PDB file of all heavy atoms in Angstrom:
ATOM      1  N   HIS A   9       1.486  42.400 -72.060  1.00 47.00           N
ATOM      2  CA  HIS A   9       0.803  43.454 -72.801  1.00 47.00           C
ATOM      3  C   HIS A   9       0.338  42.924 -74.151  1.00 47.00           C
ATOM      4  O   HIS A   9       1.134  42.711 -75.047  1.00 47.00           O
ATOM      5  CB  HIS A   9       1.727  44.657 -73.026  1.00 47.00           C
ATOM      6  CG  HIS A   9       2.151  45.312 -71.772  1.00 47.00           C
ATOM      7  ND1 HIS A   9       1.345  46.158 -71.067  1.00 47.00           N
ATOM      8  CD2 HIS A   9       3.308  45.226 -71.060  1.00 47.00           C
ATOM      9  CE1 HIS A   9       1.973  46.588 -69.991  1.00 47.00           C
ATOM     10  NE2 HIS A   9       3.164  46.020 -69.967  1.00 47.00           N
ATOM     11  N   ALA A  12      -3.378  46.870 -78.156  1.00 40.00           N
ATOM     12  CA  ALA A  12      -2.814  47.740 -79.192  1.00 40.00           C
ATOM     13  C   ALA A  12      -2.388  49.047 -78.544  1.00 40.00           C
ATOM     14  O   ALA A  12      -2.980  49.488 -77.559  1.00 40.00           O
ATOM     15  CB  ALA A  12      -3.864  48.012 -80.266  1.00 40.00           C
ATOM     16  N   GLU A  16      -1.404  58.103 -78.154  1.00 38.00           N
ATOM     17  CA  GLU A  16      -0.258  58.797 -77.565  1.00 38.00           C
ATOM     18  C   GLU A  16       0.994  57.929 -77.641  1.00 38.00           C
ATOM     19  O   GLU A  16       2.087  58.417 -77.820  1.00 38.00           O
ATOM     20  CB  GLU A  16      -0.546  59.179 -76.110  1.00 38.00           C
ATOM     21  CG  GLU A  16       0.552  60.041 -75.536  1.00 38.00           C
ATOM     22  CD  GLU A  16       0.227  60.524 -74.142  1.00 38.00           C
ATOM     23  OE1 GLU A  16       0.478  59.773 -73.189  1.00 38.00           O
ATOM     24  OE2 GLU A  16      -0.254  61.653 -74.015  1.00 38.00           O
ATOM     25  N   ARG A  33       7.567  58.751 -71.277  1.00 95.00           N
ATOM     26  CA  ARG A  33       9.016  58.864 -71.488  1.00 95.00           C
ATOM     27  C   ARG A  33       9.555  60.156 -70.895  1.00 95.00           C
ATOM     28  O   ARG A  33      10.628  60.172 -70.283  1.00 95.00           O
ATOM     29  CB  ARG A  33       9.355  58.763 -72.974  1.00 95.00           C
ATOM     30  CG  ARG A  33       9.194  57.353 -73.537  1.00 95.00           C
ATOM     31  CD  ARG A  33       9.759  57.229 -74.945  1.00 95.00           C
ATOM     32  NE  ARG A  33       9.208  58.187 -75.872  1.00 95.00           N
ATOM     33  CZ  ARG A  33       8.106  57.997 -76.606  1.00 95.00           C
ATOM     34  NH1 ARG A  33       7.432  56.868 -76.493  1.00 95.00           N
ATOM     35  NH2 ARG A  33       7.681  58.914 -77.449  1.00 95.00           N
ATOM     36  N   GLN A  40      14.623  60.153 -63.757  1.00 96.00           N
ATOM     37  CA  GLN A  40      15.972  59.607 -63.872  1.00 96.00           C
ATOM     38  C   GLN A  40      17.035  60.659 -63.573  1.00 96.00           C
ATOM     39  O   GLN A  40      18.072  60.357 -63.001  1.00 96.00           O
ATOM     40  CB  GLN A  40      16.187  59.056 -65.275  1.00 96.00           C
ATOM     41  CG  GLN A  40      17.589  58.569 -65.544  1.00 96.00           C
ATOM     42  CD  GLN A  40      17.788  58.121 -66.975  1.00 96.00           C
ATOM     43  OE1 GLN A  40      16.846  57.993 -67.735  1.00 96.00           O
ATOM     44  NE2 GLN A  40      19.030  57.880 -67.344  1.00 96.00           N
ATOM     45  N   VAL A  42      16.514  64.080 -62.193  1.00 97.00           N
ATOM     46  CA  VAL A  42      16.278  65.139 -61.220  1.00 97.00           C
ATOM     47  C   VAL A  42      17.244  65.008 -60.044  1.00 97.00           C
ATOM     48  O   VAL A  42      17.587  63.895 -59.631  1.00 97.00           O
ATOM     49  CB  VAL A  42      14.801  65.149 -60.744  1.00 97.00           C
ATOM     50  CG1 VAL A  42      14.463  63.902 -59.927  1.00 97.00           C
ATOM     51  CG2 VAL A  42      14.479  66.412 -59.978  1.00 97.00           C
ATOM     52  N   LEU A  44      18.200  64.783 -56.442  1.00 94.00           N
ATOM     53  CA  LEU A  44      17.473  64.361 -55.240  1.00 94.00           C
ATOM     54  C   LEU A  44      18.309  64.593 -53.989  1.00 94.00           C
ATOM     55  O   LEU A  44      19.517  64.582 -54.060  1.00 94.00           O
ATOM     56  CB  LEU A  44      17.110  62.881 -55.364  1.00 94.00           C
ATOM     57  CG  LEU A  44      16.155  62.558 -56.506  1.00 94.00           C
ATOM     58  CD1 LEU A  44      15.994  61.048 -56.645  1.00 94.00           C
ATOM     59  CD2 LEU A  44      14.815  63.221 -56.297  1.00 94.00           C
ATOM     60  N   LEU A  53      13.742  70.483 -65.822  1.00 98.00           N
ATOM     61  CA  LEU A  53      13.860  69.189 -66.501  1.00 98.00           C
ATOM     62  C   LEU A  53      12.544  68.792 -67.174  1.00 98.00           C
ATOM     63  O   LEU A  53      12.553  68.224 -68.270  1.00 98.00           O
ATOM     64  CB  LEU A  53      14.291  68.113 -65.513  1.00 98.00           C
ATOM     65  CG  LEU A  53      15.739  68.221 -65.042  1.00 98.00           C
ATOM     66  CD1 LEU A  53      15.988  67.307 -63.847  1.00 98.00           C
ATOM     67  CD2 LEU A  53      16.697  67.893 -66.182  1.00 98.00           C
ATOM     68  N   ALA A  54      11.424  69.097 -66.538  1.00 98.00           N
ATOM     69  CA  ALA A  54      10.122  68.787 -67.143  1.00 98.00           C
ATOM     70  C   ALA A  54       9.948  69.552 -68.453  1.00 98.00           C
ATOM     71  O   ALA A  54       9.471  68.986 -69.442  1.00 98.00           O
ATOM     72  CB  ALA A  54       8.996  69.110 -66.167  1.00 98.00           C
ATOM     73  N   HIS A  57      12.433  67.875 -71.112  1.00 97.00           N
ATOM     74  CA  HIS A  57      12.033  66.554 -71.595  1.00 97.00           C
ATOM     75  C   HIS A  57      10.670  66.583 -72.299  1.00 97.00           C
ATOM     76  O   HIS A  57      10.456  65.829 -73.246  1.00 97.00           O
ATOM     77  CB  HIS A  57      12.088  65.526 -70.476  1.00 97.00           C
ATOM     78  CG  HIS A  57      13.485  65.276 -70.005  1.00 97.00           C
ATOM     79  ND1 HIS A  57      14.451  64.703 -70.809  1.00 97.00           N
ATOM     80  CD2 HIS A  57      14.097  65.550 -68.825  1.00 97.00           C
ATOM     81  CE1 HIS A  57      15.584  64.626 -70.139  1.00 97.00           C
ATOM     82  NE2 HIS A  57      15.399  65.130 -68.938  1.00 97.00           N
ATOM     83  N   ARG A  75       6.394  64.929 -59.729  1.00 95.00           N
ATOM     84  CA  ARG A  75       6.267  65.277 -58.301  1.00 95.00           C
ATOM     85  C   ARG A  75       5.423  64.246 -57.554  1.00 95.00           C
ATOM     86  O   ARG A  75       5.745  63.872 -56.431  1.00 95.00           O
ATOM     87  CB  ARG A  75       5.624  66.653 -58.144  1.00 95.00           C
ATOM     88  CG  ARG A  75       6.583  67.765 -58.161  1.00 95.00           C
ATOM     89  CD  ARG A  75       5.988  69.084 -57.637  1.00 95.00           C
ATOM     90  NE  ARG A  75       6.969  70.107 -57.869  1.00 95.00           N
ATOM     91  CZ  ARG A  75       7.136  70.739 -59.027  1.00 95.00           C
ATOM     92  NH1 ARG A  75       6.340  70.483 -60.055  1.00 95.00           N
ATOM     93  NH2 ARG A  75       8.091  71.629 -59.170  1.00 95.00           N
ATOM     94  N   VAL A  83       8.778  55.728 -52.569  1.00 95.00           N
ATOM     95  CA  VAL A  83       9.892  56.496 -53.135  1.00 95.00           C
ATOM     96  C   VAL A  83      10.585  57.286 -52.018  1.00 95.00           C
ATOM     97  O   VAL A  83      11.817  57.356 -51.975  1.00 95.00           O
ATOM     98  CB  VAL A  83       9.418  57.413 -54.282  1.00 95.00           C
ATOM     99  CG1 VAL A  83      10.555  58.279 -54.801  1.00 95.00           C
ATOM    100  CG2 VAL A  83       8.828  56.573 -55.414  1.00 95.00           C
ATOM    101  N   ALA A  89      16.811  55.471 -47.757  1.00 96.00           N
ATOM    102  CA  ALA A  89      17.502  54.186 -47.634  1.00 96.00           C
ATOM    103  C   ALA A  89      19.016  54.368 -47.664  1.00 96.00           C
ATOM    104  O   ALA A  89      19.521  55.386 -48.158  1.00 96.00           O
ATOM    105  CB  ALA A  89      17.073  53.258 -48.772  1.00 96.00           C
ATOM    106  N   ILE A 111      15.455  49.079 -64.454  1.00 96.00           N
ATOM    107  CA  ILE A 111      14.598  49.215 -63.283  1.00 96.00           C
ATOM    108  C   ILE A 111      14.536  50.702 -62.946  1.00 96.00           C
ATOM    109  O   ILE A 111      15.578  51.345 -62.771  1.00 96.00           O
ATOM    110  CB  ILE A 111      15.154  48.402 -62.102  1.00 96.00           C
ATOM    111  CG1 ILE A 111      15.159  46.911 -62.461  1.00 96.00           C
ATOM    112  CG2 ILE A 111      14.356  48.677 -60.833  1.00 96.00           C
ATOM    113  CD1 ILE A 111      15.879  46.037 -61.451  1.00 96.00           C
ATOM    114  N   PHE A 115      16.205  49.970 -54.305  1.00 97.00           N
ATOM    115  CA  PHE A 115      16.894  50.431 -53.102  1.00 97.00           C
ATOM    116  C   PHE A 115      17.115  49.293 -52.129  1.00 97.00           C
ATOM    117  O   PHE A 115      16.500  48.241 -52.228  1.00 97.00           O
ATOM    118  CB  PHE A 115      16.172  51.602 -52.443  1.00 97.00           C
ATOM    119  CG  PHE A 115      14.803  51.318 -51.868  1.00 97.00           C
ATOM    120  CD1 PHE A 115      14.646  51.021 -50.518  1.00 97.00           C
ATOM    121  CD2 PHE A 115      13.677  51.401 -52.653  1.00 97.00           C
ATOM    122  CE1 PHE A 115      13.396  50.793 -49.983  1.00 97.00           C
ATOM    123  CE2 PHE A 115      12.410  51.187 -52.130  1.00 97.00           C
ATOM    124  CZ  PHE A 115      12.265  50.869 -50.784  1.00 97.00           C
ATOM    125  N   ASP A 119      16.532  46.076 -43.833  1.00 93.00           N
ATOM    126  CA  ASP A 119      16.993  44.729 -43.506  1.00 93.00           C
ATOM    127  C   ASP A 119      18.044  44.204 -44.488  1.00 93.00           C
ATOM    128  O   ASP A 119      18.447  43.049 -44.410  1.00 93.00           O
ATOM    129  CB  ASP A 119      15.813  43.766 -43.422  1.00 93.00           C
ATOM    130  CG  ASP A 119      15.058  43.630 -44.741  1.00 93.00           C
ATOM    131  OD1 ASP A 119      15.508  44.186 -45.769  1.00 93.00           O
ATOM    132  OD2 ASP A 119      14.014  42.959 -44.738  1.00 93.00           O
ATOM    133  N   GLY A 120      18.474  45.036 -45.433  1.00 94.00           N
ATOM    134  CA  GLY A 120      19.513  44.650 -46.386  1.00 94.00           C
ATOM    135  C   GLY A 120      18.997  44.024 -47.665  1.00 94.00           C
ATOM    136  O   GLY A 120      19.753  43.837 -48.615  1.00 94.00           O
ATOM    137  N   ALA A 144       9.831  39.968 -63.341  1.00 87.00           N
ATOM    138  CA  ALA A 144      11.039  39.762 -64.151  1.00 87.00           C
ATOM    139  C   ALA A 144      12.168  40.673 -63.692  1.00 87.00           C
ATOM    140  O   ALA A 144      13.325  40.244 -63.611  1.00 87.00           O
ATOM    141  CB  ALA A 144      10.724  40.000 -65.627  1.00 87.00           C
ATOM    142  N   GLN A 151      19.112  37.696 -59.345  1.00 88.00           N
ATOM    143  CA  GLN A 151      20.119  36.837 -59.959  1.00 88.00           C
ATOM    144  C   GLN A 151      21.421  37.596 -60.193  1.00 88.00           C
ATOM    145  O   GLN A 151      22.499  37.084 -59.948  1.00 88.00           O
ATOM    146  CB  GLN A 151      19.601  36.266 -61.269  1.00 88.00           C
ATOM    147  CG  GLN A 151      20.578  35.287 -61.882  1.00 88.00           C
ATOM    148  CD  GLN A 151      20.057  34.669 -63.160  1.00 88.00           C
ATOM    149  OE1 GLN A 151      18.886  34.749 -63.469  1.00 88.00           O
ATOM    150  NE2 GLN A 151      20.942  34.062 -63.914  1.00 88.00           N
ATOM    151  N   GLU A 159      10.539  43.014 -52.178  1.00 93.00           N
ATOM    152  CA  GLU A 159       9.329  43.754 -52.525  1.00 93.00           C
ATOM    153  C   GLU A 159       9.400  44.262 -53.950  1.00 93.00           C
ATOM    154  O   GLU A 159      10.466  44.611 -54.442  1.00 93.00           O
ATOM    155  CB  GLU A 159       9.148  44.974 -51.614  1.00 93.00           C
ATOM    156  CG  GLU A 159       9.001  44.666 -50.149  1.00 93.00           C
ATOM    157  CD  GLU A 159       9.015  45.935 -49.322  1.00 93.00           C
ATOM    158  OE1 GLU A 159       8.188  46.840 -49.597  1.00 93.00           O
ATOM    159  OE2 GLU A 159       9.848  46.024 -48.410  1.00 93.00           O
ATOM    160  N   VAL A 163       4.195  52.295 -58.825  1.00 89.00           N
ATOM    161  CA  VAL A 163       3.732  53.633 -58.448  1.00 89.00           C
ATOM    162  C   VAL A 163       3.050  54.223 -59.671  1.00 89.00           C
ATOM    163  O   VAL A 163       3.703  54.561 -60.651  1.00 89.00           O
ATOM    164  CB  VAL A 163       4.895  54.535 -57.966  1.00 89.00           C
ATOM    165  CG1 VAL A 163       4.409  55.955 -57.729  1.00 89.00           C
ATOM    166  CG2 VAL A 163       5.526  53.958 -56.706  1.00 89.00           C
ATOM    167  N   ARG A 186       4.334  45.887 -46.445  1.00 39.00           N
ATOM    168  CA  ARG A 186       5.037  46.869 -45.635  1.00 39.00           C
ATOM    169  C   ARG A 186       4.577  48.248 -46.049  1.00 39.00           C
ATOM    170  O   ARG A 186       4.233  48.479 -47.182  1.00 39.00           O
ATOM    171  CB  ARG A 186       6.527  46.720 -45.851  1.00 39.00           C
ATOM    172  CG  ARG A 186       6.957  45.320 -45.381  1.00 39.00           C
ATOM    173  CD  ARG A 186       8.381  45.090 -45.603  1.00 39.00           C
ATOM    174  NE  ARG A 186       9.115  46.072 -44.828  1.00 39.00           N
ATOM    175  CZ  ARG A 186      10.413  46.171 -44.859  1.00 39.00           C
ATOM    176  NH1 ARG A 186      11.112  45.372 -45.565  1.00 39.00           N
ATOM    177  NH2 ARG A 186      11.022  47.092 -44.159  1.00 39.00           N
TER     178      ARG A 186
END
Side-chain angles (χ1 to χ4, degrees):
H9 297 282
E16 187 175 84
R33 288 190 305 271
Q40 175 184 350
V42 67
L44 296 173
L53 289 168
H57 293 295
R75 272 195 187 83
V83 176
I111 297 171
F115 66 96
D119 62 6
Q151 184 178 345
E159 299 172 55
V163 174
R186 298 178 61 183

